[in-house]
Structure formats: structure tokens, C-alpha cells
Amino acid sequence: MRIRWRAALVLVMAICLPASAGEYGTRDEAVAMVKRVQAKFAAEGADATFKAITGTDEFRDRDLYPFVYDVDGWNVAHGANAKMVGKLWISIKDQDGNFLIQQMLAITRGPGRGWVDYKWPNPITHKIQDKSAYVEKLGDRYFVGVGVYRY
Amino acid sequence: MSPFLARLRWAQRTLHDLPIGVKTFALSGVLLVCLGALGAHALFVMDSLSRGLRELTSRDLPKQQAVHAIKSDAIATHVNIYRYVAWSSSGVNVSTLDSLSRKIDAYARTAENGLAALDARNDLSSTEREGVRKAIRQWRRYATAVSDTIEIAGSDAALATMMLGGTDEDYKRVATTLDDVAVRVSDDTAVATDDLVRNSARSKWLIAGGGLLTLLLGIVATVLVIRSVVKPMQAVTRALRADAAGHRSVAVELCARRDEIGQMMKAMMKFREQTESDNRLLAAREQELAVQNARFNAALNNMSQGLAMFDAERRLIVCNARYAEIYSVPPELTRPGTPQLEILQHRVTSGIYAGGEATSYLRSRLEMAAAQRNDEHVIELADGRTIQVVHRAMPDGGWVSTHEDATARAKAEQKIAHMARHDALTGLPNRLLFREEMERALANAARGEMIAVLCIDLDRFKEVNDTLGHPAGDQLLVSAAARLRQCVRQGDTIARLGGDEFAVIARALACADDVEVAAQRILGALNRPFNVDGHEAIIGASVGIAVATDGDIAAHSLLRNADVALYRAKAEGRHTFRFFEPEMDARLKTRHKLEMELRRAVQEHEFELAYQPIMRLDSGRVSGFEALIRWRHPERGLIPPAEFIDVAEETGLIGSINDWVLRTACADAATWPQRLRLGVNLSPSQLRSDAFMRSLKNALRHSGLDPQRLEIEITESVLMQDNEATIAQLHEVERLGVRIALDDFGTGFSSLSYLLRFPFDKIKIDRTFVKDVGSRAEADAIIRAVVSLARGLHVDITAEGVETEMQLAWLHAERCTEAQGFLFSAPRPAGELAEVLVTLERRNRQKTFPRLATVNA
């Protein structure tokens, strides 16, 4: 696991350098990544999209990664931690007591898209940091989100 | 009284009248039911208590324990997942984490298994089951969360820490639900325990109440039994005691009861009545017996027989006055209890007993009494009296004897016994005794002794009887018997068999000559003249002898043989004796056979008549026919009358035969021309019977024949009877108008005097004289004499058996009036007579008489 994390780190650094962008992803980049997922979902279907998110680096950019849940709170794809896939996260809450998945579901069921603020482990620093994630309804049964950590 | 009270009274009475058996049965039934119900209830209570307790221990308590175990496992799981997340973020080595992870896993599984086991119990209430199911669902979610957390903790401790919050929520829900379940389980237990306590408390009161009720019922039952059984029984006992003491005070109310007591009392009353009536009856019987005893005594002492009754100890029970009188028993020996021995001894010592030895007499009497035999015997007393004793044993071992003075009767019996075996007139043994003597003699003959039976018949006894009368006959018999007695030897038996018939058994003969000597002696004795009633009568006798040299011959055969020989002796001239010879017997048998056949012939009408014409010599015409009987025997053909008339006369069949002849002949003659006469032969014995006159008159009446045309032909022997009755009979026949001819004239002892005794109409000269006519001078002389005699008497004369013309011519010349014989015609059947008549009269007219006339001339 740790070997894969290192490999991922090397991979991220390699991607970031030629991009010559900032050290951390921005809110726009996060929205853009959601759009990309939406585009791939629309073009290639759910399975290909979920595999690409969980199994490849296609949707990984520095500390940005997408995550997809279904309407019941089950994780179906995760860009940072593959072990989260297939588990129910509806009752997860952060240290401040926010039921973040329930909030995301409320947004995607309601307006369809929006921002949610909560605390979440950073895959690079392995620390729990404040995070804002942009979530958007994906198809009929899912929503997709990409968050930015605030430093 | 209110209706309710009335009903109550009625129920009380009904209950009172119920049989004790029913009452006690009902009461014990109720008691038993109560006891049974109580017992059953107690059993039920015990059972439900133990069931409740069993439920408590086997269901409710384990449930609680299980819930608590699950809870402790859940707590352990939850504590350790916190620990795991903490350890994984603080960098504890992997193996420690793995071991903790397995521990958590084990707790979680234990808890889950516990829940599944709880759910699998079938004694959960619905709310409990609902709680358990809810806990299982929540536990699964919690367990998933726990395992997710562990998995995440491996890669991302921070996220795992975050996840603990959700896991904790899940745990709280499970814990709450488990607590709820635990509360419900303990609530159930409390309720069950409460129920148990409440139920047992209620049952306690129920059982106590039931027991009390049963006790009360038992007391009531006891009281009732005492009231309805013991008290009445005491009353009955008192009543019976009083009754036994003679007080007729038996309570009526006891009898009126309808239960067993009442029935018992009624039965007792009935028994008492029965006993009283029995007593009355007994008293009446006793009186009756006394009367009967008196009568019995009177009867006993007035009976003509002596009576004595002895008991098994041979002591006198009773005897009557007559008994004492017969044996001259002194009064002191007639008292009951006197030993028989004393009475008998008195009889011997007083000299009344006249038998043989006195001691043996005593012994025999005592033996008879001991042997319990019935006996009848006769004892002779010294004074000549004969006592008939009837000895009868009695069932008790004693006996009763009756004693009758049978002196007169015994004498009479002796006389009767003598009379039964002896002839009253001569005092000789009769036929019965003779037969017995013969049997005895034959028994001796069987031992080789020669014996002979002589049958003796007095030859002229009948004449004496007829002429001198019966008293003279009796006197003759007595004399003859006396002479016979002198003739026989000692040991011979002489008997009168009946009438003038005597018989002698000669025994111990040396040879047949001895018998002959005896026979000669008898004949000699009886041939001597008898003096009868002043007349001297020569009687004479015939003797038949049969000899037996062994015992093979039967008595009656021997006697019969002697009889046959006697018959022979008489037939051969009387005054003689003959020995029996077997051929005599054969002749007798032949005659017997003839007799039988003759009887049959009379019944079967085997007789027929033939007629022989009688010619009138002066006119040459037929004057009439003589009827001649023939017997057409089915085997032997025609039998002439000479062969059977004798037998017919001896057997008496002659009456029937004559009757038939008369009837048939008269009927035949009635069809002839009026001038023709009918001649019918009549046997001498017939003339004397009354039946003859009847049969003669009948024959005449039925045929319508003129009596003048009938001529009865009788033989000389009729006249030899020589008595007035015969002559009177002949006159009577004559009075009818019937002519009477004297047949067979000259053959018998005929003396011319017979002709004077009756006025015959005709004399028929016997054929023996006619046969010799013309050849023997004696015959010629006799016929001439007879013809002239007849002419002198003015009667017709008929010559019989004329066979030749020469005889006819001679008879005609001698002026014989009529002739008959084969010269004219043989006897012919009635149907041929007309032809015979025509032929004869024509011939005579043409031939015979002209020649006779020439002879005459």
C-alpha cells in the first residue's frame, strides 16, 4: 500500500512539473475535473468512468481527485483511496459533527450541484484538513465530487 | 302451608322413604366426588406451579443471561474498535493490529451468534422477538461499520478515526435495542413469577374450602347413616325382643317404612304369622292323630286277623287282642317291649306249638326276622288249628306279621285240591292227575322201565244209561271202578277219564305178556254181570293198550295210541283188547284227513246228486227217481257215499249234507212230471235230530214239491234204535204226507217185528238178495216171502240192483211191484232225466214188457 502511495506521489510530481501550475489544485480545477468526469460518464458509461477514477491516474491532479457515491451513500468510485469503494458512508461525520455525505446528497438531490465544506484526510499530507468539495449529480443514481484542501 | 313448605315436606318424606342402600350409595358417591375433585385440583395446582417454575428456570432466566452476554460482547467489540483505530494511527506494529483485529472479529461473531441463538428460541414473546430481530439488523450494520473501519484504518487512520463517529452511532442503536430486549425479558419473568404466586395463593384457599366441605359432608353422611340404619336397627331389636317376650307390640311405624327396615319388618311379621298358623295346624294335626289313633286301636282290636308288630330289636311294638287270643298269650306278654323270644318260648312251653323240635322252630323264626325277609307260611297248632302267617319286613328293620286262623280254609283247600285231581263219583284220579302220573311213569320209562297205558271203555254203558237212567249209570260206574281197583297191582294207577272211559297205567312190567295178563284180568272182571238197581246187566268192555319201553314218547301220544287201539278193539267186535300198532295210527290219520276234506266239501259244495229211475213193473213206466249223493272230490274224483257217510255221521256233518240233499232233490223233483216220485235216503242219526224236521219242511216249502211225491228211505238200523222218540218222529214225517220206505231190507238184524212198529209205505229189497235171484233157491224163497209179506201189509215192494233181463223177468213173475238197477239206467245227473224217461218208457213199451208178458203167460 505504502509502495503504491509512493508511486502515486512520484506520478503526481511528474504530472505537476510539466504543467508548471500551483502546488495545490484550485476550486476551478476541481469544477473542471467534475465536468471531465461528467463528460466521460456521458461518453463511456458508468463502469468505465468508475474504473478510470479508482484504478487510473486519469482524474488525478496534485491533491485533486474525484469521488462518486450513489444516492444511498455507498461509495462506487474514489480517486484517492480504492478501499473506500463498496462501503456505505452515509453515517460518516467530521470532527465538527458534519454528516458530510448526507449534506452532499441533500445538495445533489436538491439544486443538483454545489459546494460543501468539511474536514477530510489529505492523501498527500495524511492529515485531516479543511476541505471544500464541489458535488454534482451524476446520472440518475449517483453524484460526483472533487474537493480542494484549504491550507 | 305455603307451597314451598309443602314441597319441602314432600322432599323430606321421599328422602325418608328411600332405601338405605340408595342413601348411603348417594352419600358416599358425593363424598367420593368431592374428594376426587379436591385431589384433582391439588394435582392441577401442583402441576401448574411446577410448570411455571420450570418455565422460569428453563426459559426466562436463560433469555436474560443470553441478552447480557450479547451486551457484554457488543461492549467488548466496541471498546476494541476504538482501541484498534487509536493503535493504527499511532503506528503500532502490524501483527499486534492483526491480533486485535481477530479479537474484534471474534467478539463480533460471538455477539452475532448469540443474537441468532436468541432469535432461534421458540419461547420468545412477540415483542421480544421484534426487539431481537431489530437488534440483529442493527448489529449487522454495526458489524459492517466495524469491519469497514478496520479495513480503512490500515490505509488511512485519519479516515478510520472519522468513521468511528458513525460506528459509535451504530453501536448506540444496538445497545439501546439490546437494553430494551433485556427489559422485556425481565418483565416477562416478573409477570410469570407473579402469576405463580397468585395462582398458588388462590389454590390454597380452594383446597382448604373443598376439604372443609368434604368434612362437613362426611359428618352429614355419618349422621344420616346413624339415623337411618343404626336407630331403626335398635328399634327393630327392641321390637323383636318384645315380640320374643310375648308382647305383640311391634311398632307399626317400622312396618310402614318403605326402606329395607320396613321390608325386613314385613318379612318378620309374615314369618311370625306363618309360624303361628303352622302352630295352629300342628295342634289340629295332633288332635286328628289322636282321633286316628283311637280309630286305629279300635280297628286293630276288632280285626279278625291277629296282628303283631316288632321292632328291629325284636321287641313287641303292638299286638292286638286277636293275636293274644290265637296263641293264648298272657296279658303280661302283650305289653310293648316284650322280647319276641319270650312270646315264642311261651308258645312252646304252653304246648300250643305242635310242630317238630321247638328250638329249631324258634331259630327259624328268629332267622326270618333277622334276614328281613317277607314270608308267608302256615303253622299247625297242637289243637289242630292251622294258622296262616304273613310276615312282612318293615323298612326300619322291624316286621309286622298277621295271623289268621285258616283251619276251615285249609280243609276246604285240601278238598278242592283233591277234587281238582279226582273224579267225584268214583273217587278215582281224573284225567289231570292221570296225566301227571303218566309223566312220572314216563320218567321212569326213560330209566328203562317198561310201562303200559290201558284205555278201557264199557261196551254197553250207554244202553244202561238210556234204559235205566243216569243214577243207574252212575251206580254201574262206581261198581266198575271198584272192580278195576281189584284188578290192578300195587303201584299201578287207575283213573276215570270221563264218561264210561277208564284208564290204567301199568308200571314195572317185565314183558308185554304182563300187560296182556292185566288186560285179560280187566276184561274178565268187567264181563261179569253187574247188579244194577236190581237188574242184572252184562256190560262187557273193550281195552286198548299202548306200551312204552323208553321215555321218548310224550304222555299225550301214549294216551292217544291207547285210544286208537281201543277204537280198534271196539271196531273189531268189542269185549276184547288190542295193542296199539303204528298202522292203526295211519288209518286213523286217513280218516282224519277225510274228515277235514269233508268239512271243506260241505263248505265248497262239492256234492252233487244223481238220480236212478224206479220202474213200475205192471205198467212198465217210470214211477220215480231215487236221489243218490256223489262227492266230486277235486283230486280223487267222484267218491261214492259209502266211503264218507260214516265219517259224516260221526262228525255231525251229516246234518248239513242231508239238508243240502233234501233241498236240491226237492227243487229238482218239482220240475218233473207230477206222477214221478222222489226217493231220498236218510241216515239213522239224522232222524232223531230236531234239525231234520226243520230242514224237511223248508225243502218242501221252498221247492213247492207235493209231499206225497217225496219218499224218505230209512234203513233197518233206524228201527234198531227202538225208541219211542224215533217212532214219534216218523209219525210226524208221515203226517206231513211224506211217504216212508224201509231201505236195504234183509241186511241188518231185521226182524219182521220192525214192520209192525211202523206203517211203512214201501219196502225195498236189498240188492244182495236180488243178485242171487234165479240162481239160489234161498234167495228166491226170501224174496217170495218178502213180496207176499208186503202184499199182505199192502205196501209197495221195490227190488234194488236189478241188472239182468232174467232177474227182471223173475221179479215181474213174482209180482214185485217196482224195480231199479243198472238194467234200466245207472244213476244220472238231473239234466239227463228227461232223456232217460223217454228212452225207458219207449223201450219198455216196445220190448221189455211184451216179453215179460210172455213169461207171465
Coordinates of all heavy atoms in Angstrom, one line a residue, chain A residues 9 12-13 15-17 19-30 33 60-65 122-127 129-132 146-151:
Chain A
L9 N 2.8 9.3 -5.6 CA 3.4 10.6 -5.3 C 4.4 11.0 -6.5 O 4.3 12.1 -7.0 CB 4.2 10.5 -4.0 CG 4.9 11.8 -3.5 CD1 3.8 12.8 -3.2 CD2 5.7 11.5 -2.3
V12 N 2.3 12.0 -9.4 CA 1.7 13.3 -9.3 C 2.8 14.4 -9.6 O 2.6 15.3 -10.3 CB 1.1 13.5 -7.9 CG1 0.8 14.9 -7.6 CG2 -0.1 12.6 -7.8
M13 N 4.0 14.2 -9.0 CA 5.0 15.2 -9.1 C 5.4 15.3 -10.6 O 5.6 16.4 -11.1 CB 6.3 14.8 -8.3 CG 5.9 14.9 -6.8 SD 7.2 14.9 -5.6 CE 8.6 15.8 -6.3
I15 N 3.5 14.7 -13.2 CA 2.5 15.4 -13.9 C 2.5 16.9 -13.6 O 2.4 17.7 -14.5 CB 1.1 14.8 -13.5 CG1 1.0 13.3 -14.0 CG2 0.0 15.6 -14.1 CD1 -0.1 12.6 -13.4
C16 N 2.7 17.2 -12.3 CA 2.6 18.6 -11.9 C 3.8 19.5 -12.5 O 3.6 20.6 -12.9 CB 2.7 18.7 -10.4 SG 1.2 18.1 -9.6
L17 N 4.9 18.9 -12.6 CA 6.1 19.7 -13.0 C 5.9 20.2 -14.5 O 6.0 21.4 -14.7 CB 7.3 18.9 -12.9 CG 7.9 18.8 -11.5 CD1 9.1 17.8 -11.5 CD2 8.3 20.1 -11.0
A19 N 3.3 20.7 -16.0 CA 2.1 21.6 -16.0 C 2.5 23.0 -15.6 O 1.8 23.9 -16.0 CB 1.0 21.0 -15.2
S20 N 3.5 23.0 -14.8 CA 4.0 24.2 -14.3 C 3.0 25.1 -13.7 O 2.9 26.3 -13.8 CB 4.7 25.0 -15.5 OG 3.8 25.5 -16.4
A21 N 2.1 24.4 -13.0 CA 1.0 25.1 -12.3 C 1.4 25.3 -10.9 O 2.5 25.0 -10.4 CB -0.3 24.3 -12.4
G22 N 0.2 25.7 -9.9 CA 0.5 25.8 -8.5 C 0.7 24.5 -7.8 O 0.5 23.4 -8.3
E23 N 1.1 24.6 -6.5 CA 1.4 23.4 -5.7 C 0.1 22.6 -5.4 O 0.1 21.4 -5.3 CB 2.1 23.8 -4.4 CG 2.7 22.6 -3.8 CD 3.5 23.0 -2.4 OE1 3.6 24.2 -2.1 OE2 3.8 22.1 -1.7
Y24 N -1.0 23.3 -5.2 CA -2.3 22.7 -4.8 C -3.3 23.0 -5.9 O -3.3 24.1 -6.5 CB -2.8 23.2 -3.5 CG -1.7 23.0 -2.4 CD1 -1.0 24.1 -1.9 CD2 -1.3 21.7 -2.0 CE1 0.0 24.0 -0.9 CE2 -0.3 21.6 -1.0 CZ 0.3 22.6 -0.5 OH 1.3 22.5 0.4
G25 N -4.3 22.2 -6.1 CA -5.4 22.5 -7.0 C -6.3 23.6 -6.6 O -6.4 23.8 -5.4
T26 N -6.9 24.2 -7.5 CA -7.8 25.3 -7.2 C -9.3 24.9 -7.4 O -9.6 23.8 -7.8 CB -7.6 26.5 -8.2 OG1 -7.9 26.0 -9.5 CG2 -6.2 27.0 -8.1
R27 N -10.2 25.7 -6.9 CA -11.6 25.4 -6.9 C -12.1 25.2 -8.3 O -12.9 24.3 -8.6 CB -12.4 26.5 -6.2 CG -12.1 26.6 -4.7 CD -12.8 27.8 -4.1 NE -14.1 27.7 -3.9 CZ -14.7 27.4 -2.7 NH1 -13.9 27.1 -1.6 NH2 -16.0 27.4 -2.5
D28 N -11.5 26.1 -9.3 CA -11.9 25.9 -10.7 C -11.5 24.6 -11.3 O -12.2 23.9 -12.0 CB -11.3 27.1 -11.5 CG -11.9 28.5 -11.1 OD1 -13.0 28.4 -10.6 OD2 -11.2 29.4 -11.3
E29 N -10.3 24.2 -10.9 CA -9.8 23.0 -11.4 C -10.6 21.8 -10.9 O -10.8 20.9 -11.6 CB -8.3 22.8 -10.9 CG -7.3 23.6 -11.7 CD -5.9 23.7 -11.1 OE1 -5.8 23.4 -9.8 OE2 -5.0 24.1 -11.8
A30 N -11.1 22.0 -9.7 CA -12.0 21.0 -9.1 C -13.2 20.9 -9.9 O -13.7 19.7 -10.3 CB -12.3 21.3 -7.6
M33 N -12.6 19.3 -13.1 CA -12.4 17.8 -13.1 C -13.8 17.1 -13.0 O -14.0 16.1 -13.6 CB -11.6 17.4 -11.8 CG -11.2 16.0 -11.9 SD -10.1 15.5 -10.5 CE -8.5 16.1 -11.1
R60 N -6.5 12.4 -11.7 CA -5.7 12.8 -10.5 C -4.8 14.0 -10.9 O -4.0 13.8 -11.8 CB -4.9 11.6 -10.0 CG -4.5 11.8 -8.6 CD -4.2 10.4 -7.9 NE -5.4 9.6 -7.9 CZ -5.3 8.3 -7.5 NH1 -4.2 7.7 -7.1 NH2 -6.4 7.5 -7.5
D61 N -4.9 15.0 -10.0 CA -4.1 16.1 -10.3 C -3.7 16.8 -9.0 O -4.6 17.4 -8.3 CB -4.9 17.1 -11.2 CG -4.1 18.4 -11.5 OD1 -2.9 18.4 -11.4 OD2 -4.8 19.4 -11.8
R62 N -2.4 16.5 -8.6 CA -2.0 17.0 -7.3 C -2.8 16.5 -6.2 O -3.0 15.3 -6.0 CB -1.8 18.6 -7.2 CG -0.7 19.1 -8.1 CD -1.0 20.5 -8.5 NE -2.2 20.6 -9.4 CZ -2.8 21.7 -9.7 NH1 -2.4 22.9 -9.3 NH2 -3.8 21.7 -10.5
D63 N -3.5 17.4 -5.4 CA -4.4 16.9 -4.3 C -5.8 16.8 -4.8 O -6.7 16.7 -4.0 CB -4.2 17.8 -3.1 CG -4.6 19.3 -3.4 OD1 -4.8 19.7 -4.6 OD2 -4.7 20.1 -2.4
L64 N -6.0 17.0 -6.1 CA -7.4 16.9 -6.6 C -7.7 15.4 -7.0 O -6.8 14.7 -7.6 CB -7.6 17.8 -7.8 CG -7.5 19.3 -7.6 CD1 -7.8 20.0 -8.9 CD2 -8.4 19.8 -6.5
Y65 N -8.8 14.9 -6.6 CA -9.3 13.6 -7.1 C -10.8 13.6 -7.0 O -11.4 14.2 -6.2 CB -8.7 12.5 -6.2 CG -9.1 12.6 -4.7 CD1 -10.3 11.9 -4.2 CD2 -8.3 13.4 -3.8 CE1 -10.6 12.1 -2.9 CE2 -8.7 13.5 -2.5 CZ -9.8 12.8 -2.0 OH -10.2 13.0 -0.7
N122 N -6.1 14.4 4.1 CA -5.4 14.8 2.9 C -4.5 13.6 2.4 O -3.7 13.1 3.2 CB -4.5 16.0 3.1 CG -3.9 16.6 1.9 OD1 -3.5 15.8 1.0 ND2 -3.7 17.9 1.8
P123 N -4.7 13.2 1.2 CA -3.9 12.0 0.8 C -2.4 12.3 0.7 O -1.6 11.3 0.7 CB -4.5 11.6 -0.6 CG -5.3 12.8 -1.0 CD -5.6 13.7 0.2
I124 N -2.0 13.5 0.6 CA -0.6 13.8 0.4 C 0.0 14.0 1.8 O 1.0 13.4 2.1 CB -0.4 15.0 -0.5 CG1 -0.9 14.6 -1.9 CG2 1.1 15.5 -0.5 CD1 -1.2 15.8 -2.7
T125 N -0.7 14.8 2.6 CA -0.1 15.1 3.9 C -0.5 14.0 5.0 O 0.1 14.0 6.1 CB -0.6 16.4 4.4 OG1 -2.0 16.4 4.6 CG2 -0.1 17.5 3.5
H126 N -1.5 13.3 4.7 CA -2.1 12.3 5.6 C -2.6 13.0 6.9 O -2.6 12.4 8.0 CB -1.1 11.2 6.0 CG -0.7 10.4 4.8 ND1 -1.5 9.5 4.2 CD2 0.5 10.3 4.1 CE1 -0.9 9.0 3.1 NE2 0.3 9.5 3.0
K127 N -3.0 14.2 6.8 CA -3.6 14.9 7.9 C -5.0 15.3 7.6 O -5.4 15.5 6.4 CB -2.8 16.2 8.2 CG -1.4 15.9 8.8 CD -0.8 17.1 9.5 CE 0.4 16.8 10.3 NZ 1.7 16.8 9.6
Q129 N -7.6 17.8 7.0 CA -7.6 19.3 6.7 C -9.0 19.7 6.4 O -9.9 18.9 6.0 CB -6.7 19.5 5.5 CG -5.2 19.2 5.9 CD -4.3 19.4 4.7 OE1 -4.4 18.8 3.7 NE2 -3.4 20.5 4.8
D130 N -9.2 21.1 6.4 CA -10.4 21.6 5.9 C -10.5 21.4 4.5 O -9.5 21.6 3.7 CB -10.5 23.1 6.3 CG -10.8 23.4 7.8 OD1 -11.4 22.5 8.4 OD2 -10.2 24.4 8.3
K131 N -11.7 21.1 4.0 CA -11.8 20.9 2.6 C -13.1 21.4 2.1 O -14.1 21.4 2.8 CB -11.8 19.3 2.4 CG -11.8 18.9 0.9 CD -11.6 17.4 0.8 CE -11.5 16.9 -0.6 NZ -11.2 15.5 -0.7
S132 N -13.1 21.9 0.8 CA -14.4 22.3 0.2 C -14.5 21.5 -1.1 O -13.5 21.3 -1.9 CB -14.4 23.8 -0.2 OG -14.4 24.6 0.9
V146 N -15.4 16.7 -6.4 CA -14.0 16.9 -6.4 C -13.7 18.1 -5.4 O -14.4 19.1 -5.5 CB -13.4 17.2 -7.7 CG1 -11.8 17.5 -7.6 CG2 -13.6 16.1 -8.7
G147 N -12.8 17.8 -4.4 CA -12.6 18.9 -3.4 C -11.2 19.5 -3.4 O -10.3 18.8 -3.9
V148 N -11.1 20.7 -2.8 CA -9.8 21.3 -2.7 C -9.6 21.5 -1.2 O -10.5 21.7 -0.4 CB -9.8 22.7 -3.4 CG1 -9.9 22.5 -4.9 CG2 -10.9 23.6 -2.9
Y149 N -8.3 21.2 -0.7 CA -7.9 21.4 0.7 C -7.6 22.8 0.8 O -7.0 23.4 0.0 CB -6.8 20.4 1.0 CG -7.3 18.9 1.0 CD1 -7.1 18.1 -0.1 CD2 -7.8 18.4 2.2 CE1 -7.5 16.9 -0.1 CE2 -8.2 17.1 2.2 CZ -8.1 16.2 1.1 OH -8.5 15.0 1.1
R150 N -7.9 23.3 2.1 CA -7.5 24.6 2.4 C -6.4 24.5 3.3 O -6.5 23.9 4.4 CB -8.7 25.4 2.9 CG -9.8 25.8 1.9 CD -11.0 26.3 2.5 NE -11.8 25.3 3.2 CZ -12.7 25.5 4.2 NH1 -12.8 26.8 4.7 NH2 -13.4 24.6 4.7
Y151 N -5.3 25.2 3.0 CA -4.1 25.2 3.8 C -4.0 26.4 4.6 O -4.5 27.4 4.4 CB -2.8 25.1 2.8 CG -2.9 23.7 2.0 CD1 -3.5 23.7 0.8 CD2 -2.4 22.6 2.6 CE1 -3.5 22.5 0.1 CE2 -2.5 21.4 1.9 CZ -3.0 21.3 0.6 OH -3.1 20.2 0.0

